[in-house]
Amino acid sequence: MSHERTTSLNAAILAGRWIRAAAHDDERGRRWQANPDRRGRAAVAAEPASLYAGAAGIVVFFLELAAATGHEAYLEEARCGARYLAATWREQRDLTLYHGLSGIVFALTEAGWVLGEERFEEEARAAADRIVAAARPLPGGPGWSSEPAQRGDGGIVLGLLRAATMLGVPAYERLALEAGERIAGAAVPGHRFGDCPGIPADAVMPGFLGGTAGTAFLLARLHGVTGEDRFLEAARRGAGFVRSIAVLDGRSAFVPHHVPHGRGLHYLGYCSGSAGVARMFYEFYRVAGDPGDLDWAERLAAGIIASGVPYRQTGGYWNTACQCCGTAGLVELFVGLWAATGREPYLEFARTLAEHLVGRATGHDGRGHRWYQAYRRLRPGEVSADTGYMVGAAGIGAALLHLDAAEREGEKRRVILMPDNPFPAIPAPVFLH
């Protein structure tokens, strides 16, 4: 076993130790504090059950850690967390993928599959049924809100597509397609004005989690499911907007955080930057086979490398390590590109990112690895070490596990990728011609 593999796996195990130290048990099961530091504050508002920052994401991490190590204790961690999700999902009012019920459905389904416990799949079906029942008539078709992006209805649709496949309920896919048709009806799908703190109200955000690229990704996914051109045509409208505002520098590409005001602010991470937008272009390539789309994904990756990260901080890559906007999300991109193309430089850069991640971990007190970061770019003094998947140690550990899996030649194990990750689920390279 190489030093890099040992480091990645051991760091993920130590991240698990930090998360386990945050466990809180009651009669409903197990949840984890967002930040177990004494007097420590969490990066986001309390989300004890969410995929983004709560139990659902941590359950997924422990399922993967068990697969990587073979240790039953991690399966028990996941089982206790799934019990909590099963007992509390009816209290959830948010229906979205990362912050709400759709993410809980995903985690319960994965737990049911891995643990072989039908009760978790039954609860997942009941929760998905509630999402279906909550859809309401909107102009152009059914939906849940006015937000078409991944952070809104787009994420719910992705969650229903995954649930339809894993739980064997075709009705979930039917509603997902109907809701997708409504989203596809927009002139530029996902072309929304800003409604985030610090963003002008008239700003347009082209990024993945809350903008045009994520909506175009969804529509490309629907084309892949149905083969229907109307979804691909709508997706191309969104992608065309993203390309039209991109900044090109030789082989490198960057996307503004928001326009017209933030053209010079180029995030590199998943939520609003290059790593997320590259997912959109790779999904286009995956479902339609146009080499030009793969070229755009690789241009965005080239821009990340050319920026000097991880050793250089930029306006769009600051003191953050997490999946959402930091280094772990970049690891996911480069492992994914290697898995899709077999091109060794992508795996080498993923190793560089992981080495930097492991090097900046804190674990001197024996409580496990955690990563202190300034989650909010505009509040650099607010530093926290969270446990959750998109915002903390669980997601960082998962990214390191995915790198570890990629490096184990000839050894296959199941990795769990989020519904909006388009890359091969088992990191075995597929050589492109």
Side-chain angles (χ1 to χ4, degrees), residues 251-268:
R251 278 290 302 164
S252 299
F254 304 89
V255 176
H257 181 265
H258 59 281
V259 292
H261 322 77
R263 287 188 180 275
L265 176 59
H266 302 144
Y267 273 35
L268 300 183

Side-chain angles (χ1 to χ4, degrees), residues 30 45 50 80 91 156 174-175 182 193 201 205 214 221 235 282 306 342 424:
R30 179 168 299 166
S50 77
C80 291
E91 302 169 9
I156 297 173
R174 287 196 295 271
L175 178 59
R182 178 180 66 84
F193 294 120
M205 302 182 69
R221 174 66 54 85
Y282 181 76

Side-chain angles (χ1 to χ4, degrees), residues 99-117:
H99 296 282
L101 192 56
S102 295
I104 294 171
V105 171
F106 172 72
L108 282 171
T109 302
E110 289 290 344
W113 272 47
V114 174
L115 299 170
E117 298 193 24

Side-chain angles (χ1 to χ4, degrees), residues 127-378:
D129 288 345
R130 182 181 142 196
I131 295 170
V132 169
R136 65 184 194 272
L138 294 171
W144 298 267
S145 73
S146 61
E147 174 59 81
Q150 300 278 24
R151 66 183 178 184
D153 285 14
I156 297 173
V157 170
L158 282 177
L160 287 175
L161 289 175
R162 180 67 70 92
T165 299
M166 296 188 71
L167 297 173
V169 184
Y172 300 158
E173 181 176 305
R174 287 196 295 271
L175 178 59
L177 296 177
E178 291 173 7
E181 289 180 2
R182 178 180 66 84
I183 294 171
V188 181
H191 191 101
R192 296 267 297 165
F193 294 120
D195 61 355
C196 298
I199 303 298
D202 61 343
V204 176
M205 302 182 69
F208 195 79
L209 190 57
T212 312
T215 308
F217 170 96
L218 167 69
L219 295 170
R221 174 66 54 85
L222 293 175
H223 169 72
V225 171
T226 65
E228 295 182 7
D229 289 341
R230 68 181 184 278
F231 288 123
L232 186 59
E233 291 166 0
R236 290 286 184 201
R237 294 198 300 273
F241 166 70
V242 175
R243 282 197 303 270
S244 73
I245 63 170
V247 176
L248 300 179
D249 183 6
R251 278 290 302 164
S252 299
F254 304 89
V255 176
H257 181 265
H258 59 281
V259 292
H261 322 77
R263 287 188 180 275
L265 176 59
H266 302 144
Y267 273 35
L268 300 183
Y270 153 82
C271 61
S272 301
S274 300
V277 177
R279 290 188 181 195
M280 175 196 73
F281 282 113
Y282 181 76
E283 180 71 2
F284 274 89
Y285 174 74
R286 189 184 71 83
V287 303
D290 185 343
D293 292 316
L294 179 61
D295 182 68
W296 265 94
E298 295 193 282
R299 283 176 176 270
L300 289 158
I304 293 170
I305 295 171
S307 72
V309 304
Y311 303 109
R312 175 174 177 262
Q313 292 189 359
T314 70
Y317 177 85
W318 61 100
N319 177 25
T320 182
C322 63
Q323 285 261 4
C324 186
C325 48
T327 313
L330 303 186
V331 173
E332 293 282 15
L333 171 66
F334 284 93
V335 170
L337 283 173
W338 172 81
T341 67
R343 292 170 187 160
E344 193 66 22
Y346 291 138
L347 194 59
E348 284 297 326
F349 192 66
R351 292 187 185 112
T352 298
L353 293 165
E355 181 182 1
H356 185 263
L357 260 181
V358 175
R360 66 171 288 186
T362 295
H364 62 279
D365 54 4
R367 298 171 66 199
H369 275 12
R370 64 273 199 189
W371 285 263
Y372 288 94
Q373 61 176 2
Y375 170 75
R376 301 184 190 281
R377 180 180 61 86
L378 298 178

Side-chain angles (χ1 to χ4, degrees), residues 8-207:
S8 295
L9 180 57
N10 284 349
I13 291 169
L14 289 169
R17 180 183 296 177
W18 168 248
I19 297 166
R20 294 176 85 182
H24 175 79
D25 292 331
D26 59 28
E27 68 280 359
R28 300 175 298 177
R30 179 168 299 166
R31 56 184 173 85
W32 294 268
Q33 291 174 265
N35 180 359
D37 271 337
R38 289 184 180 178
R39 298 182 298 278
R41 62 180 300 163
V44 299
E47 293 184 2
S50 77
L51 201 57
Y52 194 90
I58 292 173
V59 165
V60 171
F61 167 66
F62 277 123
L63 292 173
E64 287 211 78
L65 192 56
T69 63
H71 292 171
E72 290 288 328
Y74 299 131
L75 289 180
E76 184 59 25
E77 286 281 343
R79 181 178 290 108
C80 291
R83 281 183 50 227
Y84 172 79
L85 296 174
T88 61
W89 68 259
R90 291 168 179 81
E91 302 169 9
Q92 187 64 243
R93 296 293 171 263
D94 189 316
L95 302 180
T96 61
L97 179 63
Y98 278 111
H99 296 282
L101 192 56
S102 295
I104 294 171
V105 171
F106 172 72
L108 282 171
T109 302
E110 289 290 344
W113 272 47
V114 174
L115 299 170
E117 298 193 24
E118 177 63 26
R119 60 175 173 153
F120 294 138
E121 292 182 58
E122 290 173 355
E123 292 293 340
R125 289 189 192 92
D129 288 345
R130 182 181 142 196
I131 295 170
V132 169
R136 65 184 194 272
L138 294 171
W144 298 267
S145 73
S146 61
E147 174 59 81
Q150 300 278 24
R151 66 183 178 184
D153 285 14
I156 297 173
V157 170
L158 282 177
L160 287 175
L161 289 175
R162 180 67 70 92
T165 299
M166 296 188 71
L167 297 173
V169 184
Y172 300 158
E173 181 176 305
R174 287 196 295 271
L175 178 59
L177 296 177
E178 291 173 7
E181 289 180 2
R182 178 180 66 84
I183 294 171
V188 181
H191 191 101
R192 296 267 297 165
F193 294 120
D195 61 355
C196 298
I199 303 298
D202 61 343
V204 176
M205 302 182 69

